[in-house]
């Protein structure tokens, strides 16, 4: 019934519900067992080109968001997003990211699109 965003470097909590890693690359320094990730839908992450463009500081967060939302309209990404919406309706979902500023990342876009 709810979605929240956490950094993957924070220890898992009992009320996390379904833990979904929303980064394309596995985070450095985190063992897979310790992360307790339930799902890792790489097709839901921004393309390498978009990620590189954004991290190079070539555009604003608003422009990144617009481009990312366009990428999410692709069939695979749209299907994965619909699957997450179903999971959110069924219970708590925690989106995990290694981003240092999750509020200005693709993960915050996902939280909003999922109704969090």
């Amino acid at each position: 019934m709810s979605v929240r965003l956490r950094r993957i470097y924070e220890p898992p909590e009992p009320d996390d519900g379904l833990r979904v890693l929303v980064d394309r690359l596995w985070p450095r320094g985190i063992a897979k067992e310790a992360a307790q990730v339930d799902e890792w839908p790489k097709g839901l992450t921004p393309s390498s080109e978009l990620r590189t463009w954004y991290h190079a500081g070539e555009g604003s967060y608003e422009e990144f968001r617009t481009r990312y939302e366009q990428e999410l309209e692709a069939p695979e990404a749209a299907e994965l997003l619909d699957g997450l919406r179903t999971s959110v309706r069924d219970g708590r979902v925690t989106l995990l990211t290694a981003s240092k500023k999750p509020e200005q990342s693709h993960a915050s876009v996902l939280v909003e699109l999922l109704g969090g």
Side-chain angles (χ1 to χ4, degrees):
M1 300 282 195
S2 67
V3 60
R4 69 178 179 170
L5 176 60
R6 297 184 65 211
R7 292 196 72 225
I8 195 160
Y9 299 105
E10 299 171 32
E13 295 181 359
D15 66 341
D16 280 347
L18 182 71
R19 292 172 53 87
V20 181
L21 178 61
V22 294
D23 291 345
R24 184 169 297 269
L25 304 174
W26 188 262
R28 292 182 186 168
I30 295 287
K32 290 187 179 182
E33 300 79 31
Q36 296 181 16
V37 170
D38 298 308
E39 294 182 13
W40 187 14
K42 295 178 191 177
L44 200 56
T45 63
S47 65
S48 296
E49 296 79 18
L50 180 58
R51 194 170 32 98
T52 301
W53 170 84
Y54 183 55
H55 291 298
E58 296 179 22
S60 67
Y61 173 71
E62 290 75 24
E63 187 175 353
F64 166 78
R65 177 189 178 96
T66 299
R67 290 182 181 193
Y68 179 47
E69 286 176 347
Q70 290 171 348
E71 288 188 354
L72 290 173
E73 293 173 5
E76 179 188 4
E79 184 177 331
L80 289 168
L81 190 57
D82 284 344
L84 271 183
R85 282 188 181 109
T86 299
S87 296
V88 169
R89 283 192 295 272
D90 292 343
R92 176 169 293 244
V93 173
T94 299
L95 302 183
L96 303 168
T97 183
S99 175
K100 291 180 182 176
K101 295 182 182 180
E103 67 283 351
Q104 289 190 324
S105 73
H106 69 288
S108 67
V109 174
L110 290 173
V111 168
E112 287 184 34
L113 293 174
L114 294 169

